[in-house]
Amino acid sequence: MAASLSSDAARLRVYLAGPDVFLPHAREQGEAKKQLAAEHGFEGLYPLDNTIETDGLSPVEIARAISTGNEGLMRAADFVIANCTPFRGPSMDAGTAYEIGFMQALGKPIFGYANVTADYAGRVRATPEHAQAHWDSETRRSDIEDFGLAENLMIAIAVLDSSGHFVVREVHPEQVLSDLEGFRACLALAQQRFAV
């Protein structure tokens, strides 16, 4: 179902999910994404846009405030673009996976990109032996999901069934998380989807 915007209508809002919030230049990364979103006709909502007063709060209370704030941003968004690039292992950031599931449950379109071309199973199999040594024995003996998809099937199918595309591309190793070409490709796909 495509939505169309008139020039005087409010912009569609896109939630900018991903591990970008953990980068040393997280705020600058968010501003760059929001600027690109604006150039494509969308308003970007970045998790670090939330203002959270932490004085007197316990770590659990701070975590709850962040979670609630991000869920509020997702409810306010019309769709999501998720950075599904592997983060601290062969799979994507767990928080981003949750956000994809949250948006799927809300029935909102999901666009995803990964800045690696190896599929999920290939990345798991390529995990160095010294890292696998830290896995418990049952994990080492367990099956590896292998459908040739960019990520775990629940994530990849949610993206594919929602937007029709899961953008994968290879980038410079020093910019695997921060490269924005996959993000730009998702913005272009969203423009087509929403006729912006």
Side-chain angles (χ1 to χ4, degrees):
M1 178 173 83
S4 179
L5 295 177
S6 65
S7 59
D8 57 301
R11 291 180 171 200
L12 288 176
R13 293 191 252 178
V14 53
Y15 183 74
L16 309 173
D20 311 61
V21 296
F22 301 113
L23 292 170
H25 58 283
R27 292 202 182 276
E28 294 86 352
Q29 180 81 352
E31 289 305 315
K33 283 187 157 187
K34 288 165 64 173
Q35 178 61 41
L36 286 169
E39 290 171 10
H40 285 78
F42 304 112
E43 178 186 350
L45 304 176
Y46 190 58
L48 295 182
D49 290 343
N50 286 313
T51 303
I52 298 169
E53 182 55 56
T54 59
D55 289 346
L57 296 182
S58 71
V60 171
E61 290 168 328
I62 294 170
R64 183 172 289 110
I66 292 169
S67 177
T68 302
N70 290 350
E71 288 181 358
L73 286 177
M74 287 187 281
R75 284 188 176 95
D78 298 292
F79 68 104
V80 62
I81 296 178
N83 180 351
C84 302
T85 303
F87 183 63
R88 297 181 177 148
S91 195
M92 67 183 295
D93 170 55
T96 305
Y98 172 85
E99 291 169 334
I100 287 173
F102 191 90
M103 294 297 272
Q104 174 81 340
L106 293 176
K108 297 185 180 190
I110 304 160
F111 297 81
Y113 70 95
N115 289 330
V116 296
T117 54
D119 69 9
Y120 172 75
R123 295 193 311 265
V124 173
R125 289 186 181 105
T127 301
E129 284 186 34
H130 70 274
Q132 290 184 31
H134 295 282
W135 296 352
D136 62 83
S137 61
E138 285 185 311
T139 298
R140 286 194 298 272
R141 294 190 314 269
S142 294
D143 285 342
I144 298 172
E145 178 185 298
D146 190 356
F147 297 100
L149 298 169
E151 188 49 70
N152 170 280
L153 72 90
M154 297 301 289
I155 299 299
I157 296 302
V159 172
L160 291 171
D161 285 357
S162 176
S163 66
H165 302 276
F166 195 121
V167 176
V168 293
R169 39 187 326 280
E170 200 68 35
V171 303
H172 190 279
E174 295 296 318
Q175 297 174 324
V176 171
L177 287 177
S178 62
D179 185 276
L180 295 176
E181 289 308 310
F183 178 70
R184 284 186 180 94
C186 287
L187 286 169
L189 291 167
Q191 281 183 307
Q192 293 171 14
R193 164 78 180 262
F194 298 113
V196 173

